[in-house]
């Protein structure tokens, strides 16, 4: 069974969606640990309540990114994961860290990449007058919020809605698309060719809301 370590920085609602999918039998994997860079991340209590091991590696305790990432990797590797899932983990990772987990490090980002990497994605999508917006699950490379795209979920932007309303609708789709993408990985259904991901399950669909 695939062993998954989830990294969070806060609320952890995507982590919760993975836990729910596992409990529902939709995710053939074990979530063996949840690790945060913040001791006050609300998601840590949720994970613990589900009987999942938790750990904190506080980024402020390290002199530089390399030292933090080295300790983070040590904490992760103690759980021997086959996949590391970033779920609202708000730290820029060093190339050494990303290389260490090449092909087994996934992220979800709240935009239709390659549009809007970085922060304030919903505000920026509205400012740009986007007519559709969404979220992307991707393998992590050394470029921030880039890497081979595994899954995307799209919603139409409603006239007059604000960033908070749009974020809420995108987040609801994140909770569907991330467990689905992780399940594809767990079932060995993702093939990366020339930086492009192919899902081998012929029934696999991307998520587009009308
Ligand atoms: C999610 O919207 C996720 O896509 C985003 O942070 C939020 C975390 O929410 N991630 C990024 O912006 C990464 N660049 P959660 O803690 O409730 O899952």
């Amino acid at each position: 069974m695939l062993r998954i370590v989830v990294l969070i920085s806060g609320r952890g609602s995507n982590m919760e969606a993975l836990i729910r999918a596992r409990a529902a039998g939709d995710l053939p994997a074990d979530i063996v640990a949840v690790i945060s860079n913040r001791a006050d991340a609300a998601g840590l209590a949720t994970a613990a309540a589900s009987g999942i091991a938790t750990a904190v590696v506080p980024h402020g305790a390290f002199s530089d990114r390399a030292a933090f990432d080295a300790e983070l990797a040590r904490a992760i590797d103690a759980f021997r994961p086959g996949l590391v899932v970033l779920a609202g983990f708000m730290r820029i990772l060093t190339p050494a860290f990303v290389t260490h987990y090449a092909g087994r490090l996934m992220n979800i980002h709240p935009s239709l990449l390659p549009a809007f990497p970085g922060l304030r994605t919903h505000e920026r999508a509205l400012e740009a007058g986007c007519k559709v917006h969404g979220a992307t699950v991707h393998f992590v490379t050394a470029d921030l919020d880039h890497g081979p795209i595994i899954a995307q979920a799209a919603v139409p932007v409603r006239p007059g809605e604000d960033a908070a309303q749009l974020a809420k609708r995108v987040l609801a789709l994140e909770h569907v698309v991330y467990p689905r993408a992780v399940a594809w990985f767990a079932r060995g259904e993702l093939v990366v060719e020339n930086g492009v991901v192919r899902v081998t399950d012929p029934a696999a669909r991307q998520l587009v809301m009308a």
Side-chain angles (χ1 to χ4, degrees):
M1 185 76 88
L2 176 72
R3 296 170 62 84
I4 297 176
V5 169
V6 181
L7 304 188
I8 63 169
S9 292
R11 178 176 56 184
S13 70
N14 276 290
M15 172 210 74
E16 263 186 90
L18 293 167
I19 293 172
R20 276 199 306 274
R22 166 85 180 90
D26 294 334
L27 179 56
D30 284 332
I31 301 170
V32 292
V34 172
I35 301 177
S36 178
N37 61 311
R38 300 180 59 108
D40 62 355
L44 287 172
T46 315
S50 300
I52 298 170
T54 63
V56 177
V57 182
H59 61 269
F62 297 86
S63 54
D64 57 22
R65 275 189 205 287
F68 168 69
D69 279 10
E71 179 56 23
L72 181 61
R74 199 199 56 73
I76 293 168
D77 290 347
F79 292 99
R80 297 177 287 106
L83 178 68
V84 177
V85 171
L86 306 180
F89 187 69
M90 305 306 271
R91 299 292 303 170
I92 292 173
L93 298 164
T94 55
F97 182 95
V98 171
T99 301
H100 180 67
Y101 296 105
R104 55 186 179 118
L105 183 59
M106 253 187 216
N107 182 43
I108 189 158
H109 181 74
S111 77
L112 293 173
L113 292 174
F116 313 123
L119 300 174
R120 297 181 62 254
T121 55
H122 310 297
E123 288 86 344
R124 288 156 64 208
L126 289 175
E127 284 158 16
C130 290
K131 306 302 179 236
V132 287
H133 182 50
T136 302
V137 180
H138 64 98
F139 283 116
V140 176
T141 62
D143 294 335
L144 178 69
D145 296 328
H146 280 292
I149 292 171
I150 299 164
Q152 291 186 307
V155 289
V157 176
R158 291 179 182 156
E161 78 178 327
D162 64 20
Q165 291 165 322
L166 183 55
K168 194 172 166 196
R169 291 195 299 120
V170 170
L171 187 66
L173 288 198
E174 291 185 41
H175 297 162
V176 178
V177 76
Y178 213 1
R180 189 183 287 187
V182 173
W184 286 338
F185 183 94
R187 296 195 182 102
E189 286 169 349
L190 300 179
V191 179
V192 187
E193 291 156 335
N194 301 320
V196 173
V197 178
R198 186 164 55 83
V199 187
T200 58
D201 177 1
R205 293 282 175 277
Q206 300 297 319
L207 191 58
V208 179
M209 299 297 278

